[in-house]
Amino acid sequence: DAKTTQPTSMDCAEGRAANLPCNHSTISGNEYVYWYRQIHSQGPQYIIHGLKNNETNEMASLIITEDRKSSTLILPHATLRDTAVYYCIAHNYGQNFVFGPGTRLSVLP
Amino acid sequence: NAGVTQTPKFQVLKTGQSMTLQCAQDMNHEYMSWYRQDPGMGLRLIHYSVGAGITDQGEVPNGYNVSRSTTEDFPLRLLSAAPSQTSVYFCASSSTGGTGELFFGEGSRLTVL
């Protein structure tokens, strides 16, 4: 899997959109961009994934640049419960997931 | 829906003791894996399995054994616990034919004195 780079930490005001960036400049053509989050010490939770097109589900939106070298996870209206560590992973089907240190998002009241 | 169930949630061992962390999933997933997470760090893969009877090593396999006799169960064995194995252990599973999404258990916190 390609290496990803994320900021160590970010803050966001409650009710505002949280935009979490991820760089994956060495991503290969068949690698998907996955996002997981880990709230406190719970098991990581899948959020969303995509290959080329932007994706949206009930939790978040994923914006992938046209050259696929970076992406942004958007939580449209962050709540205090969104405080967590967010992991961006470039992943090839059939391979194991490799988790980096992620971004610690703090949603502030 | 039970999903992925890990037991025990907490365990304290003395150096040299052995124990087994249990993991069971009820989603008929072919793929199962064990990760460990140390404070302030990401998850590191210990062992994984792509089906019953098939296991393989991950990034940090030393000191751990696994077996996969059924689709549902994937126990992790510590034969002789060491303080360096103090960590939180997560079991995960996925369907190899689906989106590849990993489903995680709630974790097992192990302390080795």
Side-chain angles (χ1 to χ4, degrees):
Chain A
D1 291 351
K3 180 179 171 57
T4 62
T5 304
Q6 301 177 249
T8 302
S9 63
M10 295 181 62
D11 292 340
C12 175
E14 187 178 19
R16 304 296 295 269
N19 297 285
L20 291 89
C22 179
N23 286 321
H24 31 79
S25 59
T26 62
I27 195 169
S28 65
N30 52 0
E31 284 182 316
Y32 289 72
V33 179
Y34 278 76
W35 284 84
Y36 284 79
R37 73 179 183 183
Q38 186 174 24
I39 297 174
H40 193 44
S41 297
Q42 298 177 17
Q45 174 192 24
Y46 165 84
I47 301 173
I48 198 167
H49 77 286
L51 184 63
K52 296 181 181 179
N53 300 323
N54 299 336
E55 302 287 345
T56 296
N57 63 20
E58 64 277 7
M59 292 182 65
S61 295
L62 173 60
I63 308 298
I64 302 174
T65 58
E66 191 169 346
D67 62 9
R68 301 207 332 118
K69 293 185 177 181
S70 66
S71 60
T72 301
L73 179 75
I74 301 173
L75 308 178
H77 304 287
T79 71
L80 298 179
R81 288 175 296 179
D82 292 320
T83 292
V85 177
Y86 288 77
Y87 300 100
C88 170
I89 303 168
H91 174 72
N92 196 340
Y93 281 0
Q95 301 298 315
N96 294 305
F97 279 89
V98 178
F99 288 80
T103 295
R104 182 172 298 276
L105 174 69
S106 298
V107 180
L108 307 175
Chain B
N1 290 338
V4 178
T5 303
Q6 292 183 232
T7 56
K9 288 184 169 49
F10 300 94
Q11 183 71 50
V12 178
L13 289 178
K14 294 181 180 179
T15 297
Q17 287 185 318
S18 63
M19 78 156 301
T20 300
L21 299 177
Q22 302 289 347
C23 177
Q25 53 91 9
D26 61 0
M27 296 172 283
N28 202 31
H29 285 167
E30 302 91 343
Y31 176 91
M32 295 186 75
S33 57
W34 278 101
Y35 288 86
R36 62 176 287 175
Q37 185 173 36
D38 300 314
M41 298 182 65
L43 286 80
R44 292 185 292 171
L45 182 66
I46 305 172
H47 284 286
Y48 65 98
S49 168
V50 297
I54 305 169
T55 64
D56 208 343
Q57 296 180 349
E59 178 187 357
V60 287
N62 291 340
Y64 308 95
N65 281 348
V66 292
S67 60
R68 185 91 180 273
S69 57
T70 67
T71 300
E72 295 78 18
D73 300 299
F74 191 45
L76 179 71
R77 297 183 183 86
L78 286 72
L79 297 179
S80 179
S84 60
Q85 294 178 303
T86 293
S87 190
V88 180
Y89 292 84
F90 290 99
C91 179
S93 72
S94 72
S95 171
T96 55
T99 64
E101 172 190 349
L102 274 179
F103 293 82
F104 281 86
E106 288 301 306
S108 297
R109 185 177 297 275
L110 175 65
T111 300
V112 182
L113 303 176

